[in-house]
Amino acid sequence: MLVLAALTISLAILSTQAYIYRRSRTEASADWSALSDYVLSIEQGSRHVVVASLINISQGGAASNLGGNLDRWENFVSGDYQFGRCDLNATPASQPPYSGGVWLDWRTDGRGVSSAFADFTLNISGRGAEVDWSFTQNITTTAVISGSYTRGLGNIKQVTVLLNLLNEGAPTLAGRVTLAYLSGGTWRDPAELGSYSRQDFGNGTYRYSFTDAIPGNQVQVRVQVYDRRGIYVQAEASLSEG
């Protein structure tokens, strides 16, 4: 449903730009400006398709959904233009770490990545319009966790966890975060503890702290994050005494 909604938005944007461009054909001075807007709307629509596909894939959808959605988008763009030829070609990234344009790497060393990457070429010709445009869409959500604990009596540990969330390498706000820690072979929710606290620094950095009896010399923690776009990513880390 998320993919269909985003595709609908993309098609609506492109259809609106196409209508404006068609109307502008009666005013020569406006042609190039309208064509430029039309090209940019295709680029924006391509971004919507990649984002929507990654939302679906990161939440359990098939990785092949990216290629299928890009094929549908290519067909729509090519069929929408009425003044000559308009060919959009989307190529999902195939070089490692990407496969079919998708890279999901939810690691246990404190870093998790959900990413979709595609290259695009756009060619428009006919009625005096010539466009040869290349661009990429790289949508990447990254979660980085770190932290440490201080030891109390017995197995009592006061744990501090830091989460940094990034969109395309820039700090971003989380939509929803679930933190868990491993104790006695079971993942537990620290929010159920009276000692639990959470601090949002407003810049994509979050600080969590809690105290509990946790056996061993390390504390294994896990974050499950949805960014504001709905893309899911998770990461685990083993925290040491600090």
Side-chain angles (χ1 to χ4, degrees):
M1 292 299 294
L2 290 171
V3 173
L4 291 176
L7 285 173
T8 300
I9 293 172
S10 300
L11 299 182
I13 292 172
L14 186 58
S15 296
T16 301
Q17 294 291 348
Y19 174 75
I20 294 172
Y21 178 55
R22 289 164 187 159
R23 292 294 300 271
S24 71
R25 298 300 299 181
T26 58
E27 300 179 21
S29 62
D31 283 355
W32 287 110
S33 176
L35 181 58
S36 177
D37 289 343
Y38 185 66
V39 170
L40 291 177
S41 73
I42 293 176
E43 185 172 354
Q44 183 180 12
S46 299
R47 181 179 180 84
H48 285 314
V49 173
V50 176
V51 169
S53 298
L54 183 56
I55 291 171
N56 175 267
I57 294 167
S58 69
Q59 296 185 34
S64 59
N65 287 343
L66 174 62
N69 291 333
L70 290 174
D71 287 343
R72 292 171 57 196
W73 178 238
E74 288 177 353
N75 292 334
F76 175 84
V77 171
S78 298
D80 182 72
Y81 193 71
Q82 304 296 319
F83 304 104
R85 290 185 58 86
C86 180
D87 297 315
L88 178 68
N89 183 51
T91 304
S94 58
Q95 294 185 343
Y98 290 92
S99 176
V102 177
W103 175 31
L104 299 182
D105 188 11
W106 302 340
R107 294 154 58 176
T108 59
D109 63 354
R111 187 179 184 87
V113 177
S114 295
S115 181
F117 191 167
D119 294 307
F120 295 82
T121 57
L122 175 66
N123 296 285
I124 298 177
S125 61
R127 297 194 182 182
E130 296 293 336
V131 174
D132 186 5
W133 180 251
S134 298
F135 59 94
T136 63
Q137 295 294 351
N138 186 345
I139 306 301
T140 303
T141 297
T142 305
V144 181
I145 55 174
S146 59
S148 62
Y149 69 86
T150 57
R151 189 183 297 272
L153 295 176
N155 286 326
I156 297 297
K157 296 179 176 65
Q158 183 175 351
V159 183
T160 299
V161 181
L162 293 175
L163 165 65
N164 291 283
L165 188 64
L166 308 170
N167 279 167
E168 290 77 68
T172 190
L173 299 179
R176 189 173 81 217
V177 179
T178 301
L179 174 66
Y181 67 100
L182 192 62
S183 180
T186 301
W187 286 104
R188 304 181 185 275
D189 182 358
E192 297 176 353
L193 302 172
S195 59
Y196 174 81
S197 67
R198 173 185 180 274
Q199 186 175 4
D200 180 355
F201 292 93
N203 61 356
T205 299
Y206 301 84
R207 181 182 183 273
Y208 304 87
S209 64
F210 59 92
T211 301
D212 197 11
I214 306 172
N217 295 322
Q218 290 188 322
V219 177
Q220 189 171 353
V221 295
R222 179 181 66 196
V223 291
Q224 298 172 298
V225 186
Y226 293 87
D227 68 11
R228 291 291 180 92
R229 300 178 294 198
I231 296 170
Y232 174 82
V233 64
Q234 74 175 45
E236 296 181 16
S238 296
L239 309 184
S240 301
E241 186 173 4

